[in-house]
């Protein structure tokens, strides 16, 4: 999961096809990050994976922020950074904890319901009107989740871990919906590199509070994987921001659901996972719901891959 902030269009001179291709590449990189994160979580647990990733990302983003033109954020902006970081920390912990207990394609498919939560949170927190498209989109999303769950729990190999993992991923989507609302406020007050720095820094500080009891040294053979996760995350975030600064959301949102295709391929290649027909059917319904939601509010109809 990556923390990209999608900004309004900065120029209309670039053909939409170029940002679409760049956005598709970003989704590929972020999907690879998810697979690498699953490997790390299985090896050292979700807490240490998120802690070490946040620390390494802070160093890299801090170097980039220091090298370019910058301004110190105000106290109000710092409070917003800290609030969103706390929400992102919950998203990361819940999502990657669930990811370690579910097939990659199932976890990604379930995570796509996040934009639907965002639509209703926008109505609740921002006073936006819930349109008819949002209601139909939500019904499609709920049906998709139900189909995926039916396929998961109908298997003979079903375990309590699968139930807990499913619950964790769904909880992460609720927090992520609120995260999207905060991301809109951040994008108006800070540049992407500043957001990436302070978000990773704040997550590292929050996670570090429990370090005396939970932190363990990362084994030497996992540092390369951690470096890969950090590079894939930051590169995906940068390419995503670049794309959304140069093309409208209506062109780019459909490419983001290619994450499900990558999840199937990576899950099969690295973890010997096979996607059941119920996972495919449920994910298609969820994606259809989110595309319908994009017509109601394009700024909020974005999948979890874009920002965790």
């Amino acid at each position: 999961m990556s923390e990209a902030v999608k900004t309004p269009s900065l120029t209309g001179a670039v053909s939409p096809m170029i940002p679409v291709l760049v956005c598709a590449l970003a989704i590929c990189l972020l999907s690879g990050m998810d697979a690498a994160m699953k490997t790390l979580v299985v090896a050292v647990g979700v807490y240490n994976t998120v802690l070490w990733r946040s620390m390494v990302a802070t160093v890299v983003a801090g170097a980039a922020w220091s090298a370019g033109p910058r301004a110190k954020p105000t106290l109000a902006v710092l409070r917003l950074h800290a609030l969103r970081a706390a929400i992102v920390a919950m998203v990361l912990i819940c999502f990657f904890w669930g990811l370690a207990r579910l097939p990659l394609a199932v976890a990604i498919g379930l995570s796509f319901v996040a934009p639907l939560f965002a639509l209703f949170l926008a109505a609740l927190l921002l006073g936006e009107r819930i349109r008819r498209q949002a209601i139909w989109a939500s019904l499609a999303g709920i049906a998709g989740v139900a189909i995926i769950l039916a396929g998961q729990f109908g298997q003979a190999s079903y375990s309590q871990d699968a139930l807990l993992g499913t619950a964790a991923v769904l909880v992460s989507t609720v927090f992520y919906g609120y995260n999207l609302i905060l991301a809109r406020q951040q994008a108006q007050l800070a540049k992407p590199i500043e957001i990436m720095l302070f978000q990773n820094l704040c997550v590292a500080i929050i996670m570090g509070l429990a370090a005396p009891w939970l932190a363990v040294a990362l084994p030497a053979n996992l540092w390369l994987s951690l470096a890969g996760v950090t590079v894939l995350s930051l590169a995906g975030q940068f390419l995503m921001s670049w794309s959304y600064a140069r093309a409208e959301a209506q062109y780019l949102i459909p490419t983001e659901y290619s994450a499900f295709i990558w999840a199937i391929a990576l899950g099969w290649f690295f973890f010997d996972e096979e996607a059941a027909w119920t996972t495919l059917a449920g994910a298609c319904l969820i994606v259809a719901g989110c595309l319908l939601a994009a017509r109601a509010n394009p700024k909020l109809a974005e999948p979890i891959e874009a920002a965790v």
Side-chain angles (χ1 to χ4, degrees):
M1 290 186 179
S2 45
E3 294 98 332
V5 175
K6 299 173 182 178
T7 56
S9 178
L10 298 179
T11 175
V14 179
S15 167
M17 183 54 63
I18 296 177
V20 165
L21 294 175
V22 172
C23 188
L25 175 59
I27 295 302
C28 176
L29 296 179
L30 294 173
S31 299
M33 182 208 69
D34 281 342
M37 283 290 287
K38 179 169 182 172
T39 301
L40 288 170
V41 170
V42 170
V44 297
V46 65
Y47 171 81
N48 283 284
T49 299
V50 174
L51 173 66
W52 286 106
R53 192 194 85 159
S54 299
M55 292 175 65
V56 173
T58 298
V59 173
V60 176
W65 184 72
S66 300
R70 62 191 184 277
K72 292 183 178 180
T74 65
L75 185 59
V77 173
L78 284 175
R79 282 198 295 264
L80 182 59
H81 288 329
L83 174 59
R84 187 176 175 222
I87 300 300
V88 166
M90 290 299 299
V91 172
L92 293 174
I93 291 173
C94 292
F95 180 77
F96 288 119
W97 191 89
L99 181 62
R101 289 157 177 81
L102 293 172
L104 192 59
V106 171
I108 296 300
L110 291 173
S111 73
F112 284 156
V113 301
L116 305 180
F117 283 117
L119 289 171
F120 287 94
L121 286 172
L124 180 64
L125 300 177
L126 304 179
E128 295 185 4
R129 183 172 61 90
I130 298 178
R131 300 181 182 180
R132 182 175 300 176
Q133 294 101 312
I135 296 175
W136 285 110
S138 298
L139 292 176
I142 292 171
V145 170
I147 291 174
I148 292 176
L149 295 182
Q152 276 293 104
F153 302 150
Q155 296 176 0
S157 59
Y158 159 74
S159 65
Q160 184 178 5
D161 255 9
L163 174 61
L164 295 176
T166 299
V169 171
L170 290 176
V171 168
S172 76
T173 65
V174 177
F175 279 103
Y176 185 75
Y178 182 42
N179 165 69
L180 280 179
I181 305 298
L182 295 176
R184 300 306 156 202
Q185 299 173 354
Q186 270 188 316
Q188 296 174 355
L189 300 173
K191 295 181 178 179
I193 190 63
E194 176 187 320
I195 294 172
M196 288 163 56
L197 167 61
F198 285 95
Q199 184 162 297
N200 282 294
L201 175 61
C202 291
V203 169
I205 292 173
I206 292 170
M207 301 301 291
L209 296 176
W213 300 276
L214 300 178
V216 297
L218 198 68
N221 65 319
L222 293 180
W223 276 103
L224 183 60
S225 296
L226 182 67
V229 162
T230 304
V231 170
L232 289 172
S233 174
L234 294 177
Q237 293 168 25
F238 176 82
L239 293 177
M240 190 79 72
S241 295
W242 187 93
S243 300
Y244 273 82
R246 289 162 176 81
E248 295 179 2
Q250 61 178 317
Y251 295 110
L252 300 178
I253 286 173
T255 69
E256 299 193 22
Y257 294 102
S258 63
F260 186 69
I261 299 174
W262 289 113
I264 294 174
L266 293 170
W268 171 78
F269 186 80
F270 289 106
F271 307 106
D272 198 27
E273 299 170 349
E274 294 184 1
W277 72 267
T278 49
T279 301
L280 299 174
C284 286
L285 270 175
I286 293 172
V287 169
C290 289
L291 293 177
L292 185 60
R295 298 179 61 187
N297 192 333
K299 292 184 178 181
L300 293 177
E302 300 161 6
I304 200 167
E305 274 295 326
V308 188

